[in-house]
Amino acid sequence: MAWENPFKEMANSKPLFLTIYATVLIGIVFSSVYVFSAIYSSPNSTFSLSMAPSTSSDEKAEPSVQASNFSHRQVDDASIPVKPQHPSKLLKPIWKVPPAGSKMLDLETFKLSKELVQERVTDNIVVVTFGNYAFMDFILTWVKHLTDMGVENLLVGAMDTKLLEALYWKGVPAFDMGSHMSTVDVGWGSPTFHKMGREKVVLIDSILPYGFELLMCDTDMVWLKNPLPYIARFPEADVLTSTDQVVPTVTDDRLDLWQQVGAAYNIGIFHWRATESAKKLAREWKEMILADDKIWDQNGFNELVHRQLGPSVDDDSGLVYAYDGNLKLGLLPASIFCSGHTYFVQSMFQHLRLEAYAVHTTFQYAGTEGKRHRLREGKVFYDPPEYYNPPGGLLTFKPSIPKNLLLDGEHTIDTHFTLVNYQMKQIRTALAVASVLNRTLVMPPLWCRLDRLWFGHPGILPGSLTRPPFVCPLDHVFEVNEGSLCSYNSVALWSALIYILVHCSEVIRWSMMRLMKSRCWVSLVVGSFKECLSLEALKISGEINVMLKEMANEEFGPGINIREYSLFENPSMSQEVKKSWLDVHLCQEGSPGCQVNSTSQSGVLKLPKHSTEETLKTAFSKFKDVKVIQFSSMQDAFDRFTDKTREEQFRNRVKRYVGIWCCVETHTPGHIYYDMYWDEKPGWKAAPPNSTKDDHPPW
């Protein structure tokens, strides 16, 4: 691998390594005064983390917040004097498709210009996202949420002609970014991904000189409430940005306290006013990233705005002077402009009795498919009608979890794995039944007692509002995607990077960001801190096959489709599907009425426990047209496949469906592998690999 040589060089150059390491430690010591002043600048400061693997870029202790926060409740946007939304005379309705028989306009028509943007401006503001054709469904979801709340002053930047044409025929206003981007998913962290980030910066620098306010968004976020009245509350702000903050700094809907936000500023959601300071920042940011293609756009932004941070602009607004000392910056509250952690794991806005404005699918572990699945779990992703009525029908079941597994005892690694494994065994059975009946499995809600992250942690982040047990996203346990952001080829590097971001001062943090361009520096970080996973983990690639990946039938048998646990609660689920329903109750073979094809007067099918493949096929042969089959339980529902080859194929497939929990604080490697067949291994225990030689999936 590309990273192997630096690590070997490091190992073979121990004196040099020690010298560099000592230099870093000396730097940290000399900056200790700054560190303590930054972290403990007020008696109410909180522990926070900067999550490096943010994708646009995942207690018992109560959150530390100022007592005065409780006297400020959420402000009703309707009571704020905001200038009425007067559409431009040129504002064309969205979703109005071109006339039948018409032709696609010339591409020159879609070139970015002040006149083109002006057509979509209302009250001098335009809301913009951009992407390639691979994110078409994300973009349509983004547009529909905005138009459903009456926001039509929006534009979509198309990075390829295929997307531009598709949006045109959908009636969605778009412009050609001239990127000539690939139409496929480029993958987080890839060179093309970083190119997309640079395109964003160029786009901001291009639009601001037009004099319009710009609300810039990534396509992997969703608007849940009209943000424009909220933004209008801060007319003095040059830039308002979201963050990766995971600990609340306020309990109402004010801006987050900049003094207490230690996480990275996330550029997936941010608002720019066309002020001189903002235009200056955009221009320098563009020059920085175009001069060095190794700089990640988000890191560059953070470095620039942290060049100077403070003092506060005033006592009330929450704005802070940043960048050049003139830029007025505001940090959107992480409780309501949510990350993937504050929304899907903490449900921070619910704990604080607030309304969420947005959710950005960061802090997740399954790439693009993981983003889709999370938004689907949250019932905020728009799918076509056929998604809710798949061929072959749906299979669902009522999970059973004993109270002691869910609530009793401390929340530890052992109790977490005991809880997850109990559910995993039921899901394994359900996957087998779905495979036999050729149905799509509706996954159950998955309960967890510990959070999952990229680095060693105590189980629940101190100061966060995560309250175990909690329904965790599917990607916390299962490998939803074809390739996970936190797959075993990158988790060690991120763990080391997180160590730096958490333990170092702001000054060291952002200077190190620049140094991380160097392989030597990456080698130093990865080799120096115990929080990172073993270097051997970097060599593991291609071994992880996952739920939605096309896999060879000869080795893995037929694929098994899945749906999110909230499918039947989604307003888009048709009543036609819900009405076509069969309940299945398991019974003890030999008991009265317990026989194949035994259906009660109430329409409930009784099925013997420990049914074989042939028994299932026989029992459900006359119910192929039923759209939903629900089992009362999956415990002991299925015994075996009739064919041994088929059994082996199924096992080969589903044992690859589960991932890792991460990570133990005091052990290297620190991750623990989930095992789909844990119950077949006497004495199985949740523990990290003893050494790098043992660091591999459990097959």
Side-chain angles (χ1 to χ4, degrees):
M1 289 179 62
W3 295 108
E4 288 183 11
N5 289 338
F7 293 134
K8 290 180 179 179
E9 292 171 5
M10 184 66 66
N12 295 331
S13 307
K14 190 172 182 181
L16 176 60
F17 167 78
L18 292 175
T19 300
I20 299 174
Y21 183 43
T23 303
V24 173
L25 290 179
I26 291 171
I28 294 175
V29 170
F30 274 101
S31 65
S32 60
V33 174
Y34 182 87
V35 174
F36 285 105
S37 64
I39 297 177
Y40 302 107
S41 58
S42 78
N44 300 304
S45 60
T46 58
F47 173 82
S48 60
L49 297 172
S50 180
M51 298 301 171
S54 171
T55 57
S56 54
S57 13
D58 286 13
E59 184 74 29
K60 295 180 180 178
E62 294 296 320
S64 299
V65 292
Q66 290 185 342
S68 60
N69 290 344
F70 291 97
S71 64
H72 299 269
R73 298 319 305 158
Q74 183 172 6
V75 178
D76 183 1
D77 288 333
S79 66
I80 301 169
V82 180
K83 187 167 61 173
Q85 290 282 310
H86 298 301
S88 164
K89 292 181 180 180
L90 299 176
L91 203 64
K92 299 177 182 178
I94 298 177
W95 305 118
K96 184 178 180 180
V97 300
S102 62
K103 294 183 179 181
M104 175 73 181
L105 299 178
D106 188 89
L107 289 181
E108 288 292 319
T109 309
F110 299 96
K111 278 191 174 182
L112 182 66
S113 66
K114 182 175 182 178
E115 291 70 28
L116 183 147
V117 177
Q118 177 72 65
E119 291 181 359
R120 302 310 313 176
V121 168
T122 299
D123 293 336
N124 206 48
I125 187 170
V126 63
V127 190
V128 175
T129 192
F130 69 102
N132 66 348
Y133 187 78
F135 284 84
M136 175 75 170
D137 52 350
F138 283 91
I139 291 169
L140 294 180
T141 294
W142 183 87
V143 173
K144 189 173 189 320
H145 274 280
L146 285 173
T147 55
D148 282 354
M149 60 184 69
V151 178
E152 298 208 348
N153 47 323
L154 60 87
L155 263 175
V156 178
M159 305 188 80
D160 59 75
T161 305
K162 187 176 181 180
L163 174 64
L164 182 67
E165 293 181 354
L167 293 175
Y168 173 76
W169 293 114
K170 290 280 187 182
V172 175
F175 62 94
D176 183 9
M177 293 181 65
S179 307
H180 306 294
M181 181 72 69
S182 167
T183 60
V184 301
D185 185 2
V186 299
W188 192 94
S190 68
T192 309
F193 170 86
H194 288 293
K195 179 186 177 184
M196 291 179 71
R198 293 193 293 276
E199 295 272 0
K200 177 201 293 187
V201 184
V202 173
L203 181 58
I204 294 170
D205 183 62
S206 299
I207 292 179
L208 287 182
Y210 297 159
F212 308 126
E213 294 180 37
L214 172 65
L215 178 53
M216 191 75 194
C217 322
D218 284 353
T219 56
D220 61 342
M221 61 80 57
V222 166
W223 289 110
L224 307 174
K225 184 178 179 181
N226 184 354
L228 300 183
Y230 185 92
I231 290 169
R233 287 165 49 184
F234 307 97
E236 297 302 315
D238 297 307
V239 176
L240 296 170
T241 181
S242 60
T243 75
D244 285 336
Q245 183 74 7
V246 294
V247 177
T249 70
V250 294
T251 58
D252 52 23
D253 66 349
R254 290 177 297 160
L255 295 176
D256 264 332
L257 302 180
W258 66 269
Q259 300 93 333
Q260 295 184 22
V261 173
Y265 301 165
N266 191 298
I267 60 173
I269 307 171
F270 59 168
H271 172 264
W272 296 69
R273 284 192 170 85
T275 61
E276 290 306 312
S277 290
K279 288 187 284 187
K280 178 183 176 184
L281 170 61
R283 185 167 54 253
E284 184 173 356
W285 187 18
K286 182 191 74 172
E287 293 170 353
M288 169 193 283
I289 61 150
L290 292 182
D292 189 342
D293 60 9
K294 296 183 179 65
I295 298 178
W296 181 24
D297 56 340
Q298 181 164 291
N299 288 353
F301 176 81
N302 275 272
E303 179 179 330
L304 289 174
V305 297
H306 279 82
R307 183 179 292 169
Q308 175 179 329
L309 192 63
S312 296
V313 173
D314 51 47
D315 295 332
D316 302 317
S317 68
L319 301 177
V320 58
Y321 287 111
Y323 174 49
D324 60 356
N326 295 312
L327 182 88
K328 297 173 184 176
L329 176 71
L331 306 182
L332 297 170
S335 57
I336 51 178
F337 291 84
C338 307
S339 68
H341 198 278
T342 61
Y343 189 88
F344 294 109
V345 177
Q346 296 191 49
S347 300
M348 188 184 289
F349 68 100
Q350 293 179 342
H351 286 295
L352 299 176
R353 303 295 189 267
L354 302 173
E355 290 184 74
Y357 279 86
V359 55
H360 186 193
T361 53
T362 56
F363 290 84
Q364 59 88 38
Y365 310 91
T368 303
E369 285 298 341
K371 296 171 186 288
R372 284 192 183 92
H373 196 85
R374 284 214 184 178
L375 293 175
R376 286 167 173 162
E377 287 181 333
K379 296 174 290 187
V380 294
F381 196 81
Y382 290 112
D383 283 294
E386 55 267 26
Y387 176 83
Y388 301 92
N389 187 17
L394 297 161
L395 174 70
T396 182
F397 71 97
K398 296 180 179 179
S400 173
I401 306 174
K403 173 258 183 184
N404 65 301
L405 296 186
L406 199 61
L407 301 176
D408 291 358
E410 297 294 320
H411 300 294
T412 65
I413 290 174
D414 288 338
T415 58
H416 169 76
F417 270 83
T418 300
L419 172 62
V420 171
N421 285 348
Y422 191 88
Q423 299 169 87
M424 189 187 301
K425 187 176 179 180
Q426 297 176 57
I427 293 171
R428 185 181 75 199
T429 300
L431 287 165
V433 175
S435 182
V436 169
L437 301 181
N438 194 30
R439 285 181 173 265
T440 296
L441 177 63
V442 179
M443 298 293 285
L446 188 64
W447 288 88
C448 292
R449 301 187 84 163
L450 298 182
D451 198 356
R452 175 181 174 177
L453 292 159
W454 293 274
F455 52 91
H457 62 94
I460 300 297
L461 291 177
S464 72
L465 297 189
T466 308
R467 294 294 180 262
F470 61 97
V471 175
C472 53
L474 189 65
D475 58 85
H476 270 216
V477 175
F478 286 85
E479 293 287 332
V480 178
N481 187 26
E482 296 186 8
S484 169
L485 165 63
C486 198
S487 289
Y488 314 103
N489 62 343
S490 61
V491 66
L493 176 57
W494 285 124
S495 298
L497 196 154
I498 289 293
Y499 183 97
I500 295 295
L501 297 181
V502 172
H503 289 78
C504 297
S505 70
E506 291 289 329
V507 172
I508 292 182
R509 180 182 309 178
W510 301 114
S511 63
M512 284 182 175
M513 285 292 191
R514 300 299 303 275
L515 290 172
M516 284 178 189
K517 296 180 295 181
S518 162
R519 287 186 179 182
C520 177
W521 173 249
V522 172
S523 303
L524 171 63
V525 174
V526 175
S528 301
F529 298 104
K530 289 186 178 180
E531 259 112 75
C532 71
L533 305 179
S534 65
L535 301 183
E536 199 66 28
L538 294 174
K539 301 178 183 178
I540 299 177
S541 59
E543 295 185 18
I544 309 302
N545 291 284
V546 285
M547 301 184 81
L548 301 180
K549 182 178 181 180
E550 291 291 333
M551 300 160 72
N553 281 13
E554 296 79 10
E555 184 177 357
F556 302 105
I560 308 169
N561 293 322
I562 64 167
R563 293 292 186 268
E564 66 279 6
Y565 70 85
S566 57
L567 185 77
F568 296 113
E569 303 167 14
N570 197 306
S572 297
M573 169 59 74
S574 72
Q575 290 301 315
E576 177 189 359
V577 173
K578 288 184 177 182
K579 288 178 181 178
S580 180
W581 192 288
L582 174 68
D583 284 313
V584 179
H585 288 183
L586 300 182
C587 55
Q588 196 64 43
E589 189 173 11
S591 63
C594 187
Q595 54 190 4
V596 178
N597 291 331
S598 173
T599 307
S600 68
Q601 292 182 349
S602 60
V604 175
L605 176 69
K606 290 188 175 182
L607 182 73
K609 292 183 178 181
H610 305 289
S611 292
T612 64
E613 178 181 5
E614 290 304 318
T615 302
L616 288 176
K617 287 181 176 179
T618 301
F620 293 97
S621 60
K622 64 180 181 180
F623 298 109
K624 290 183 178 179
D625 292 334
V626 174
K627 297 186 182 297
V628 183
I629 293 177
Q630 177 174 261
F631 275 58
S632 60
S633 172
M634 275 296 169
Q635 291 179 309
D636 302 322
F638 183 68
D639 185 41
R640 65 185 182 280
F641 288 92
T642 303
D643 181 67
K644 289 185 177 180
T645 300
R646 180 74 182 84
E647 173 79 26
E648 189 61 30
Q649 289 173 335
F650 175 79
R651 294 173 70 93
N652 284 342
R653 173 177 290 276
V654 300
K655 68 186 179 183
R656 291 167 165 80
Y657 278 8
V658 291
I660 62 168
W661 177 81
C662 181
C663 283
V664 177
E665 288 186 284
T666 57
H667 194 280
T668 304
H671 53 265
I672 302 173
Y673 292 94
Y674 290 105
D675 190 341
M676 185 67 88
Y677 288 94
W678 61 273
D679 55 316
E680 297 181 0
K681 300 176 180 178
W684 186 93
K685 182 176 174 59
N690 290 323
S691 65
T692 54
K693 292 182 180 179
D694 301 321
D695 188 4
H696 57 79
W699 63 81

